[in-house]
């Protein structure tokens, strides 16, 4: 019997497969599509997940060789420019890399780890038993597994088959248009901004609001740039086209934008989306079926939080599900996946809904923006927003363990990025006297002479205990692992 079946070979499903493989579980990934998609989607990564990828040795596969993550000096929130350059502990990291490249990297990494990816396998049914779940496939023999993970997107078949409700709100009054374009080279500034005659500069990778809508300009270092507009009350008909995008940009800015067709090799995007959904699954688990990523939550794409949220879900779930399969999980461990990640999804839903309101046209919104802009002048507010966008404001309940660092994500300690590549729990011990006792097989104890306190790190790099003696250590270990 297969240990874990993952439905969906998108970034979240692939990341989970890699995490499971690092923990000694060999999952099978089922993908409905026969070939990897070439549809352009996200433009990059935002938030804490960038440092998490670095701690797994994956950042260097996406970025310039020899570089390490650096916080972004600027970002945007609700079409407000967000200056983070003076924050002493800026938590917001960004990485400009197309989602297609992220998926290719994760496919390669999964292959290195021996993950079995089966394309052309569409899930159409499932039956749960006491110790397994049977997955029914279209025109293929059923598969039996100990667990099934639905990583099959916002319209998740697995979620629907399991009967998990997906409550939330749907808005249908906005129209978003995005397309690859070309513009005259002399209109692009040294900083990547686009100068529109009769209007002025549109900064790169930011949302620019006017009283008529929203526009965003995204130059690409290795392909055609993209232009996005968002309007309200402009329902179009027919297929999305470059002429439609031009007309929308003119309405938003009040002047013509010299847009031409893309000139690169493609694939090229021309897309129109109506409204949006903000929904969070009523529960993340039903028996031996677990939901992951967009199958568990959908929200506005504003600010680019989707991959940060979904990939962090995968890192949280991976070691817990592996421990359950391998038989060394503490009682109730798998249930902490939902109790820890559901609040994270609620935070993303909250701030994307807030941003979606702040970008709308109208005098009342303009008044709200005036007040919000005053608040953003305060460094404490900018830091709060940066932590919110990064997902760094989430602290988990670690049971009986106490201390100022407990429950928080581990800071970038010296040597940590090399120690965390194996996804093993770590006991960083500056005392050289701590004893994990019967939990030793589950934890790597590492000398850490530069630390003032010992730290117990879970595989997802959250701190589960701190101290200078064995006091409380065994209790913390028992919270997360079954003693050998």
């Amino acid at each position: 019997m297969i240990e874990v079946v993952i439905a969906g070979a998108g970034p979240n499903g692939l990341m989970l497969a890699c995490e499971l493989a690092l923990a000694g579980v060999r999952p099978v990934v089922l993908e409905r599509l026969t070939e990897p998609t070439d549809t352009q989607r996200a433009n990059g990564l935002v938030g804490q997940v960038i440092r998490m990828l670095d701690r797994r040795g994956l950042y260097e596969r996406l970025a310039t060789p020899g570089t390490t993550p650096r916080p972004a000096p600027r970002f945007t929130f609700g079409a407000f420019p967000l200056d983070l350059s003076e924050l002493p502990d800026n938590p917001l990291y960004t990485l400009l890399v197309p989602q297609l490249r992220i998926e290719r990297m994760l496919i390669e990494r999964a292959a290195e780890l021996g993950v079995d990816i089966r394309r052309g396998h569409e899930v159409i049914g499932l039956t749960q038993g006491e110790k397994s779940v049977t997955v029914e496939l279209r025109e293929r023999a059923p598969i039996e597994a100990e667990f099934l993970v639905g990583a099959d997107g916002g319209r998740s078949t697995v979620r629907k088959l399991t009967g998990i409700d997906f409550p939330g709100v749907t808005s249908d009054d906005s129209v978003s248009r995005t397309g690859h374009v070309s513009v005259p080279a002399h209109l692009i500034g040294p900083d990547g901004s686009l100068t529109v005659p009769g209007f002025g500069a549109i900064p790169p990778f930011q949302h620019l609001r006017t009283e008529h809508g929203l526009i965003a300009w995204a130059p690409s270092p290795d392909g055609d740039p993209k232009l996005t507009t968002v309007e309200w009350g402009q329902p179009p008909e027919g297929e999305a086209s470059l002429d439609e995008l031009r007309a929308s940009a003119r309405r938003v800015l009040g002047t013509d934008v010299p847009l031409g067709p893309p000139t690169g090799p493609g694939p090229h995007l021309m897309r129109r989306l109506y409204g949006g959904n903000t929904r969070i699954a009523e529960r993340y688990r039903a028996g031996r079926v677990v939901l992951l990523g967009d199958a568990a939550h959908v929200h506005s794409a504003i600010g680019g939080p989707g991959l940060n949220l979904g990939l962090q879900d995968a890192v949280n779930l991976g070691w817990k599900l592996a421990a359950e399969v391998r038989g060394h999980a503490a009682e109730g461990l798998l249930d902490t996946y939902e109790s820890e990640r559901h609040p994270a999804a609620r935070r993303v839903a909250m701030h994307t809904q807030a941003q979606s309101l702040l970008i709308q046209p109208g005098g009342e919104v303009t008044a709200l923006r005036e007040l919000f802009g005053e608040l953003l002048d305060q460094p404490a507010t900018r830091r709060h927003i940066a932590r919110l966008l990064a997902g760094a404001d989430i602290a988990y309940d670690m049971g009986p363990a106490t201390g100022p660092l407990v429950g928080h994500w581990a800071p970038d300690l010296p040597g940590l990025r090399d120690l965390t590549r194996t996804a093993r729990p770590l006991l960083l011990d500056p005392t050289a006297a701590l004893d994990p006792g019967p939990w030793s097989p589950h934890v790597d104890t590492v000398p850490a002479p530069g630390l003032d306190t010992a730290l117990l790190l879970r595989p997802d790099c959250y701190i589960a205990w701190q101290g200078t003696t064995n006091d409380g250590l065994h209790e913390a270990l028992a919270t997360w692992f079954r003693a050998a």
Side-chain angles (χ1 to χ4, degrees):
M1 181 168 55
I2 297 170
E3 292 174 318
V4 178
V5 164
I6 301 170
N12 299 321
L14 292 169
M15 187 70 186
L16 175 63
C18 292
E19 291 292 297
L20 288 169
L22 286 172
V25 173
R26 292 293 178 263
V28 171
V29 180
L30 306 179
E31 171 55 52
R32 176 179 59 84
L33 300 177
T34 56
E35 297 291 339
T37 180
D38 61 358
T39 302
Q40 296 280 3
R41 285 171 286 179
N43 296 316
L45 295 169
V46 178
Q48 191 167 285
V49 71
I50 295 173
R51 287 191 288 170
M52 190 68 242
L53 290 175
D54 187 47
R55 292 180 182 183
R56 291 294 189 260
L58 301 178
Y59 176 85
E60 58 198 32
R61 302 187 181 208
L62 297 171
T64 303
T67 61
T68 56
R70 292 288 184 270
R74 291 171 299 279
F75 202 65
T76 182
F77 182 88
F80 283 95
L82 197 61
D83 184 0
L84 308 174
S85 59
E86 297 181 1
L87 292 184
D89 55 349
N90 180 6
L92 190 59
Y93 289 67
T94 60
L95 176 62
L96 180 61
V97 56
Q99 182 171 327
L100 293 180
R101 193 166 151 208
I102 298 170
E103 290 187 13
R104 286 197 295 267
M105 180 274 291
L106 289 172
I107 289 171
E108 293 172 358
R109 179 56 173 159
E112 294 169 3
L113 294 171
V115 174
D116 183 1
I117 301 176
R118 303 179 185 179
R119 296 194 172 273
H121 286 60
E122 181 180 359
V123 176
I124 60 171
L126 62 89
T127 304
Q128 291 205 57
E130 183 179 346
K131 296 184 178 180
S132 67
V133 54
T134 300
V135 183
E136 300 172 24
L137 305 173
R138 187 177 303 281
E139 299 180 352
R140 296 181 184 273
I143 296 176
E144 187 179 13
E146 292 185 42
F147 287 93
L148 168 65
V149 178
D152 50 346
R155 296 182 174 88
S156 171
T157 297
V158 171
R159 185 187 66 241
K160 294 172 183 176
L161 290 171
T162 310
I164 296 176
D165 287 340
F166 205 36
V169 295
T170 297
S171 61
D172 56 5
D173 57 343
S174 65
V175 182
S176 170
R177 302 170 176 90
T178 300
H180 282 110
V181 298
S182 62
V183 297
H186 70 276
L187 297 181
I188 301 178
D191 63 347
S193 61
L194 172 64
T195 298
V196 178
F199 177 83
I202 301 176
F205 308 110
Q206 294 189 27
H207 297 108
L208 178 64
R209 175 193 178 265
T210 73
E211 286 294 342
H212 306 286
L214 188 84
I215 194 164
W217 164 251
S220 172
D222 53 3
D224 291 297
K226 284 197 295 189
L227 189 82
T228 296
T229 65
V230 183
E231 294 181 272
W232 286 259
Q234 292 286 340
E237 297 180 356
E239 293 187 4
S241 67
L242 181 58
D243 286 341
E244 179 189 335
L245 184 60
R246 286 195 192 101
S248 178
R250 177 177 176 79
R251 288 192 296 268
V252 171
L253 296 181
T255 188
D256 287 321
V257 182
L259 302 178
T263 58
H268 297 135
L269 175 67
M270 184 58 64
R271 180 180 65 196
R272 181 200 303 137
L273 299 175
Y274 298 93
N277 285 293
T278 299
R279 299 182 177 277
I280 302 176
E282 180 183 48
R283 48 198 170 126
Y284 281 19
R285 178 189 174 198
R288 293 186 169 270
V289 179
V290 187
L291 301 180
L292 174 69
D294 289 353
H297 41 68
V298 294
H299 48 78
S300 168
I302 191 168
L307 282 176
N308 185 39
L309 181 61
L311 293 174
Q312 290 279 55
D313 286 349
V315 175
N316 185 288
L317 175 60
W319 69 276
K320 297 174 180 178
L321 185 54
E324 190 75 26
V325 169
R326 307 299 284 179
H328 56 252
E331 184 177 356
L333 176 66
L334 195 52
D335 292 331
T336 66
Y337 165 60
E338 177 179 334
S339 64
E340 292 181 349
R341 296 307 298 165
H342 195 278
R346 288 201 303 269
R347 297 289 285 171
V348 170
M350 177 271 291
H351 77 69
T352 53
Q353 286 180 304
Q355 292 186 75
S356 296
L357 288 174
L358 284 168
I359 65 175
Q360 293 186 22
E364 291 177 336
V365 175
T366 299
L368 176 62
R369 290 180 61 83
E370 182 177 350
L371 174 60
F372 199 86
E374 293 176 4
L375 296 175
L376 285 178
D377 286 338
Q378 306 299 318
T381 305
R382 293 199 301 274
R383 181 179 184 273
H384 181 87
I385 295 293
R387 287 177 55 79
L388 175 68
L389 294 175
D393 61 335
I394 295 291
Y396 297 149
D397 180 2
M398 294 295 172
T402 59
L405 299 177
V406 169
H408 295 272
W409 204 62
D412 290 329
L413 305 169
L416 186 60
R417 62 194 296 265
D418 296 320
L419 294 172
T420 52
R421 296 195 175 196
T422 60
R424 291 268 299 168
L426 294 173
L427 178 59
L428 305 179
D429 180 12
T431 71
L434 298 180
D435 178 19
W439 290 272
S440 294
H442 305 312
V443 181
D444 292 340
T445 302
V446 181
L451 293 183
D452 296 329
T453 179
L455 299 174
L456 174 64
L457 270 59
R458 306 187 324 184
D460 57 359
C461 292
Y462 275 80
I463 298 171
W465 171 86
Q466 70 176 104
T468 55
T469 68
N470 283 313
D471 185 32
L473 174 59
H474 288 189
E475 289 82 354
L477 287 166
T479 300
W480 305 107
F481 305 103
R482 183 174 298 155

